[in-house]
Each structure stands twice: as C-alpha cells, then as structure tokens.
Amino acid sequence: MSKTIGIITGSLRKNSFSGSIADYVKNHAPEGYVFKTIDIGGLPLYNQDYDGEELKEYTAFRNEVKALDGVLFITPEHNRSIPAALKNALDIGSRPYGQNVWSGKPGAVISQSPGGIGGFGANHHLRQVLAFLNVLTLAQPEAYIGAYHTLIDENGALSNEATKEFLNGFLAAFAVWIEKIS
C-alpha cells in the first residue's frame, strides 16, 4: 500500500518555481509513495472568530491534511521569510487550539530562489514554525536550490541533471525518514 504525501507550495503564482519542483517530485516519487499537491490558494485568511464555525474551506483543508501520511513543503522566500499564503495554511491547520492536524506528521522542506542562497531565510523560518506545530521535519539533507531560473527549460521544467540527482537523493532520504518515524 502506498503512502500519500501532500505537497504544499508557498507560491501561488502560475508557473512558479515551487510548482516546477512540485511537478518534478510528483513524477519522481520513490517507490511506494504518491505525492499530491494540496491547494492553499483558496483558503480565506485565518481568523480565530471562525474556530467555532464550520467554514467549508477550513474544514476541507484540515480533513485533507489529516488524511496525509506526510507533508513536503516547497517554498520561495518572501522578504527573508515564508510567503503569507503558506503561513495562513499552517495557521488554519493548527487551529482551533488542541486540534492541530499537522502534529506528528513527517515533513520536509525544499526552498528555492532566483538568488544564490536558495531561500535560506524561508527554509529556516518555516522549520521554526513546523517545530512548534510538531511536524517531524527531516533535518538532513537540507534543500536550498539557488538560481532556480537557470536550472529549468523554456517550459519551466527542471532540466539540470545535478539538481535532479540531488532531488532524487532528497526524496529517498525523506522516504527513509517517513519509514523510520511511522
């Protein structure tokens, strides 16, 4: 039986670099794993006033995350941190208090950037939030992909062989991590 891993991308942009990496991951999943994209673009902003209500978007998202065997976060860096849409999704999944759908799930982080440091700030800010939410995050290998725009073809697909090899190794390590803690 295969394990289902959700991919949450921090970028909502059409043809984003994060989406390009997600496409590669979905097509190169380790044996026994299925990666699927979890859309966060339609989530209303988190508001504690809705905690006692059945807001359909919140409920559907929380149920989708609950059903996952793990989560892979792929994110760009916005102003040395994570994008607002990603933080919003994390907040929605962690509430109401005591009903954190992230807790105990295996997770991993890939950050990317057109810049040279590959989204380092976003990667580490995200890890800080994930630690608080009790996402059991893969520590090594870390994945920072810099100058991503130079690693893709004219259609936005990853074309750099060294990066493909790195991602394949990262996914294999993530699969081992999931098996270890499951």
Side-chain angles (χ1 to χ4, degrees):
M1 184 169 173
S2 64
K3 293 191 180 200
T4 303
I5 309 302
I7 298 175
I8 296 181
T9 61
S11 178
L12 302 180
R13 181 174 63 85
K14 184 178 179 183
N15 301 318
S16 71
F17 297 151
S18 296
S20 170
I21 295 169
D23 289 342
Y24 181 83
V25 167
K26 286 188 282 190
N27 292 316
H28 295 86
E31 188 174 332
Y33 288 84
V34 174
F35 284 81
K36 72 175 211 167
T37 303
I38 308 299
D39 182 21
I40 63 172
L43 292 172
L45 288 176
Y46 173 71
N47 183 333
Q48 192 174 8
D49 290 342
Y50 300 142
D51 280 359
E53 298 179 25
E54 283 294 318
L55 200 61
K56 67 179 179 176
E57 296 91 348
Y58 285 13
T59 300
F61 177 73
R62 290 170 179 147
N63 288 338
E64 193 169 18
V65 172
K66 281 181 196 175
L68 298 172
D69 297 303
V71 184
L72 174 61
F73 298 91
I74 304 174
T75 190
E77 183 170 285
H78 288 185
N79 301 316
R80 295 282 189 248
S81 189
I82 60 176
L86 179 53
K87 180 62 166 74
N88 187 53
L90 292 165
D91 289 346
I92 289 168
S94 71
R95 301 299 178 129
Y97 183 78
Q99 297 178 34
N100 177 9
V101 300
W102 307 108
S103 186
K105 293 216 181 280
V109 177
I110 299 172
S111 60
Q112 54 68 33
S113 169
I117 59 174
F120 178 86
N123 194 305
H124 283 265
H125 279 189
L126 179 53
R127 287 173 177 277
Q128 183 179 11
V129 174
L130 296 178
F132 178 78
L133 297 178
N134 197 35
V135 175
L136 308 175
T137 307
L138 175 69
Q140 293 292 329
E142 294 178 301
Y144 313 93
I145 305 175
Y148 192 75
H149 64 289
T150 68
L151 307 173
I152 56 177
D153 64 21
E154 62 279 352
N155 298 314
L158 180 61
S159 59
N160 181 275
E161 291 303 319
T163 305
K164 288 178 181 181
E165 285 179 36
F166 170 76
L167 285 174
N168 292 340
F170 179 87
L171 293 173
F174 187 31
V176 168
W177 174 244
I178 293 168
E179 294 305 320
K180 203 177 269 190
I181 63 173
S182 294

